[in-house]
Amino acid sequence: MIIRWRKQQDFFIVRLYQDLVGDWVLSESWGNSLNQDNAFNHTVYHCYHEARHRLREIGREKKQLGFKKTAAKEQQIELDFG
């Protein structure tokens, strides 16, 4: 899952995916499209519901800061590791 937010030239992108050992990874990247001031963070969750909870928190935070969601054209393929 990929979700993008934008506020003028500022961007925030979140990717939620399952890695090869079955953990859920929430990757966050943010910055400004006009300069090189960008950063990222990766957090590993052992439970999908914990990762989704954090994703909802991020959505609320971005909305309060005036960010708007933008359309993502990527598609994710789910693999069954179960």
Side-chain angles (χ1 to χ4, degrees):
M1 170 185 310
I2 299 172
I3 302 174
R4 297 172 186 213
W5 290 274
R6 182 169 288 280
K7 178 180 166 183
Q8 297 173 351
Q9 282 73 27
D10 293 330
F11 66 87
F12 193 91
I13 302 169
V14 175
R15 293 172 181 87
L16 176 60
Y17 59 93
Q18 194 171 26
D19 65 13
L20 293 175
V21 296
D23 290 328
W24 289 91
V25 180
L26 187 68
S27 295
E28 304 168 60
S29 53
W30 60 90
N32 185 294
S33 58
L34 297 179
N35 60 38
Q36 301 278 334
D37 189 22
N38 303 318
F40 63 91
N41 182 49
H42 303 288
T43 307
V44 176
Y45 294 91
H46 300 290
C47 173
Y48 174 75
H49 298 291
E50 290 176 4
R52 285 293 303 207
H53 177 73
R54 178 62 186 135
L55 187 58
R56 283 189 294 276
E57 288 177 344
I58 291 170
R60 284 191 292 270
E61 292 168 5
K62 295 302 153 200
K63 187 175 180 179
Q64 288 177 346
L65 293 172
F67 281 77
K68 304 284 184 197
K69 277 187 185 180
T70 60
K73 296 181 176 148
E74 297 92 345
Q75 286 188 330
Q76 300 295 308
I77 299 172
E78 291 188 34
L79 302 174
D80 183 14
F81 295 106

